[in-house]
Amino acid sequence: MQIDMLVRDIYVFNSYFKRFIKGNAAIKDGKFYYIGDREIETFQPDQTIDGHGKYMVPGLIDIHLHIESTMVTPSTFSYGVIKNGVTTIVPEPHEMANIFGISGVKEMIKASKECVADMFYAIPSSVPATSMETTGGSIEINDIDELIQTEDIKCLGEIMNYYEIISDPDCKTNQILSHIRSRYPDLIIEGHVPKLLDLDLQKIAYAGVNSDHTHQTVEGMDARIAAGMFLEIQEKSMTKEVIDYLKEKQVDEHFCFVTDDVMTDSLQKRGHLNVLLKKAIQMGLSPEKAIYACTYTPAQRMRMYDRGTIAPGKVADFLLVSNLETFDIEQVYKKGELVYESSQPYVQVVKERQFPEAFYQSVKLEALTEDDFDVPLSHKHDRCKCRIINVQNGSTFTSETHDMLDIRDGKLCWEESSYGLIATFERYGKNGNRAHGLITGDVLKRGAVATTYSHDNHNLLVIGRNKQDMLIAANEVIRKQGGVCCVEDGKVLSMIPLPVGGILSEEPLDIVSEQVQHLTNALKGLGYEHYNVIMSLSTLSLPVSPALKITDHGLINVNEGKIVPLIVSDED
């Protein structure tokens, strides 16, 4: 029998038994044809590969991530994940959707068509994430209908505004959920429900949201599984208690590992989903369980029944690994074709101008002046109690603190205080909104940083300890049509240009990685202390991530879902 490829003398991972079985694998027309002991006495392969006792593992599958978080285009992202064994992803482009609406989604899908990694998209469901921010675009019910009818869609992406679901029956999110349940009852609905328990959690499940990828605790996992929810475990949730729970409980069918957001330097130097797989093994999960949670269960969750396992008729996406404990990937195959070999050069083909011209002209904001960083107050006293965003290393969550600051000539004397200023400016030319707040904690102690890479609205966000540095950083980002700029003493220390929508670079992965590492070091040099500095910075404007954040509408009390003033009243 003629086949395309025979891979012999390997240990094949059988997902159904969750164990490795020694044998051979025959591949025909990009799919597995036969797994077992037969070889050349039965098959006439065009190519024979001697596995020398290596382990054959299904291609890794990541079902919850945002390409834009890596600041690169789909083609660059594909280049980065393939060498790490990730052959299928389900990206949700809600960053690009917040900037360009449905056209942002369609252009990301279009840019993914020729990628080596298969990309099956999630529809952004929460654009904007809340009604308390200005974005460049939105995703409405008619946009969801169009995407389902015209694109290869796997799910409705994470429902982020969980507070509205349980508090406002008529909100946009509940309207979307009602529409999906009635028109597309089989569509998978992904969730974002941090910390919710008991009645509030079950209200979310009742609404049709049946997964969660946010920071997990043992108590939270137990409650979610009991409510029929599927768990998507990020690296930040991989504590000893969580891994022990996954190891000891019979919950293999109820979770997988996902990356969500991976910075460029981490993708280049550490890896991708394979990092979580290796970490799980090091923390005590068996290699078989870890592989299962990176291949079979994510495929099942997204009803991608043609992959995630090595069996007849399944897509021949696989890795050859010599050591399960270290999980060093020697070769990656996509649809039976070799796409990565560790012993050979792996060169990126760089593509330029992959998007429409309007995507390179998205920052519609005039140059700022120092006055834009004044905080005018109509307050009858010369001191006032202010709300302050407190940044804490170890989490992208913040807390709220209060302190007294001086007022002089109708302006807040923030530069004379121990606090920094955080300001955000609407950059789409819609309303000219701006807001100011104070910031403290594990954030920069000197200089300034400005960015349009600010989740999810991607308005211009500026943080600093003096107006002069803030002005330089902000105007440099405006001039470059987006990016992240770090300044101290009037000098630009580091800059990442992000000209595509103000959030993506078309430079090669290694170049963007170097830029991200340089910027991270610069911010740390200014006193920013965080395990993921850029993600901490960019989520300070994310009004669905607890507890006190800022948008162009003002300071947001996330837990209560409302705008709160800078000055604390006696009633607060």
Side-chain angles (χ1 to χ4, degrees):
M1 179 180 294
Q2 192 71 33
I3 60 170
D4 298 324
M5 180 186 294
L6 179 70
V7 187
R8 60 178 307 278
D9 187 21
I10 48 175
Y11 288 90
V12 180
F13 183 69
N14 185 292
S15 304
Y16 309 107
F17 291 130
K18 269 182 272 186
R19 61 187 174 94
F20 284 92
I21 301 172
K22 186 170 175 49
N24 310 309
I27 296 166
K28 181 179 174 65
D29 298 329
K31 297 179 179 180
F32 293 110
Y33 184 80
Y34 167 85
I35 312 297
D37 295 330
R38 293 177 180 271
E39 49 177 302
I40 54 175
E41 79 282 355
T42 302
F43 302 110
Q44 291 78 53
D46 292 340
Q47 181 183 8
T48 301
I49 296 171
D50 196 325
H52 299 291
K54 295 185 181 71
Y55 299 91
M56 177 182 274
V57 176
L60 308 186
I61 299 173
D62 192 339
I63 61 170
H64 182 82
L65 60 83
H66 310 284
I67 292 173
E68 303 100 312
S69 294
T70 313
M71 302 182 180
V72 295
T73 60
S75 61
T76 299
F77 193 82
S78 173
Y79 166 84
V81 298
I82 283 292
K83 67 177 180 180
N84 291 296
V86 180
T87 54
T88 299
I89 63 173
V90 180
E92 183 193 333
H94 71 218
E95 316 299 352
M96 208 54 116
N98 270 279
I99 301 167
F100 298 110
I102 190 173
S103 67
V105 178
K106 283 180 168 288
E107 290 298 333
M108 286 292 283
I109 294 173
K110 182 179 177 182
S112 305
K113 295 294 187 186
E114 304 302 320
C115 293
V116 176
D118 284 336
M119 301 185 183
F120 302 105
Y121 275 76
I123 298 176
S125 64
S126 303
V127 179
T130 72
S131 59
M132 300 175 290
E133 58 195 313
T134 304
T135 59
S138 66
I139 297 295
E140 306 298 332
I141 287 175
N142 61 309
D143 297 317
I144 292 173
D145 288 338
E146 181 177 341
L147 288 167
I148 289 174
Q149 292 160 15
T150 62
E151 306 291 349
D152 190 354
I153 296 298
K154 284 297 172 191
C155 63
L156 186 68
E158 60 180 303
I159 296 289
M160 299 182 70
N161 199 348
Y162 55 90
Y163 182 84
E164 275 193 359
I165 294 176
I166 59 181
S167 64
D168 182 1
D170 299 321
C171 71
K172 176 183 173 181
T173 304
N174 276 323
Q175 291 174 24
I176 289 173
L177 287 171
S178 177
H179 182 75
I180 294 297
R181 290 195 304 268
S182 63
R183 289 283 301 276
Y184 314 103
D186 294 330
L187 188 68
I188 300 159
I189 302 175
E190 292 285 272
H192 170 113
V193 286
K195 297 187 175 182
L196 292 189
L197 294 170
D198 197 38
L199 180 58
D200 284 345
L201 178 67
Q202 296 195 32
K203 285 181 179 178
I204 296 289
Y206 181 81
V209 180
N210 61 0
S211 78
D212 183 34
H213 69 274
T214 58
H215 201 161
Q216 299 296 338
T217 63
V218 168
E219 180 188 23
M221 290 193 298
D222 222 38
R224 281 154 177 74
I225 292 173
M229 299 182 83
F230 185 80
L231 297 173
E232 298 166 0
I233 306 295
Q234 296 188 50
E235 185 173 9
K236 66 184 179 184
S237 291
M238 294 176 70
T239 63
K240 182 180 185 303
E241 294 76 20
V242 166
I243 296 298
D244 286 348
Y245 177 94
L246 299 176
K247 179 173 62 174
E248 294 163 7
K249 302 290 184 179
Q250 298 299 314
V251 296
D252 292 357
E253 310 309 315
H254 304 295
F255 82 95
C256 72
F257 291 109
V258 299
T259 59
D260 197 5
D261 304 296
V262 175
M263 296 307 302
T264 328
D265 54 339
S266 181
L267 175 58
Q268 174 76 350
K269 296 175 182 177
R270 293 181 71 217
H272 197 256
L273 188 60
N274 57 318
V275 173
L276 280 70
L277 193 158
K278 288 190 283 187
K279 186 171 183 175
I281 294 171
Q282 292 162 5
M283 294 180 72
L285 208 63
S286 70
E288 290 82 3
K289 277 198 173 190
I291 291 167
Y292 193 76
C294 291
T295 56
Y296 187 78
T297 53
Q300 293 294 301
R301 166 67 183 168
M302 288 295 153
R303 302 183 188 132
M304 295 187 289
Y305 301 129
D306 65 340
R307 64 194 65 212
T309 184
I310 298 171
K314 308 299 183 183
V315 175
D317 294 350
F318 64 93
L319 329 175
L320 293 182
V321 178
S322 56
N323 184 310
L324 288 180
E325 298 298 324
T326 58
F327 208 78
D328 294 324
I329 298 167
E330 297 198 4
Q331 293 179 326
V332 178
Y333 288 81
K334 190 81 187 72
K335 296 182 177 69
E337 299 287 338
L338 179 66
V339 291
Y340 171 77
E341 185 162 12
S342 60
S343 63
Q344 299 297 318
Y346 185 60
V347 180
Q348 181 180 357
V349 177
V350 179
K351 298 181 179 180
E352 297 181 354
R353 309 301 277 195
Q354 300 170 54
F355 292 87
E357 195 58 36
F359 280 51
Y360 303 90
Q361 302 293 329
S362 67
V363 180
K364 298 175 173 62
L365 190 61
E366 296 295 325
L368 302 181
T369 69
E370 282 192 18
D371 292 344
D372 291 312
F373 301 103
D374 285 334
V375 184
L377 294 174
S378 54
H379 198 71
K380 59 185 177 182
H381 302 295
D382 59 2
R383 285 173 66 78
C384 63
K385 183 187 289 187
C386 296
R387 295 179 206 277
I388 302 157
I389 298 172
N390 191 351
V391 176
Q392 302 160 328
N393 193 358
S395 176
T396 53
F397 294 170
T398 64
S399 60
E400 177 179 324
T401 58
H402 300 162
D403 201 0
M404 300 296 295
L405 271 76
D406 292 334
I407 301 172
R408 188 181 306 118
D409 299 325
K411 297 177 184 177
L412 187 68
C413 300
W414 67 268
E415 284 184 288
E416 300 171 14
S417 75
S418 60
Y419 304 108
L421 181 72
I422 180 168
T424 183
F425 302 86
E426 185 271 317
R427 59 104 160 177
Y428 300 104
K430 288 190 170 183
N431 53 37
N433 280 356
R434 56 190 57 197
H436 300 85
L438 296 169
I439 193 163
T440 191
D442 298 326
V443 71
L444 53 78
K445 310 298 187 294
R446 306 182 309 281
V449 61
T451 181
T452 49
Y453 176 81
S454 54
H455 300 310
D456 280 339
N457 50 70
H458 299 292
N459 285 311
L460 177 66
L461 182 71
V462 192
I463 302 172
R465 292 287 176 163
N466 66 81
K467 293 192 289 186
Q468 293 78 20
D469 286 345
M470 293 178 78
L471 179 66
I472 293 169
N475 284 341
E476 186 67 10
V477 170
I478 293 170
R479 188 176 70 84
K480 291 285 181 64
Q481 276 295 309
V484 193
C485 182
C486 182
V487 173
E488 184 183 23
D489 295 333
K491 179 184 177 183
V492 173
L493 302 181
S494 188
M495 174 76 193
I496 307 174
L498 300 172
V500 183
I503 61 171
L504 299 184
S505 171
E506 291 183 311
E507 293 291 333
L509 184 64
D510 58 347
I511 297 297
V512 184
S513 171
E514 290 174 6
Q515 292 172 337
V516 167
Q517 186 62 61
H518 189 270
L519 179 83
T520 299
N521 292 338
L523 287 170
K524 287 183 175 180
L526 295 178
Y528 209 130
E529 302 170 18
H530 203 275
Y531 76 96
N532 191 335
V533 169
I534 295 177
M535 189 55 62
S536 170
L537 167 66
S538 67
T539 53
L540 292 171
S541 59
L542 183 59
V544 293
S545 174
L548 185 64
K549 298 295 174 75
I550 190 170
T551 74
D552 64 302
H553 287 213
L555 291 169
I556 310 297
N557 182 319
V558 176
N559 295 332
E560 296 182 11
K562 66 180 184 180
I563 301 169
V564 292
L566 174 61
I567 297 179
V568 180
S569 67
D570 294 336
E571 289 78 28
D572 288 328

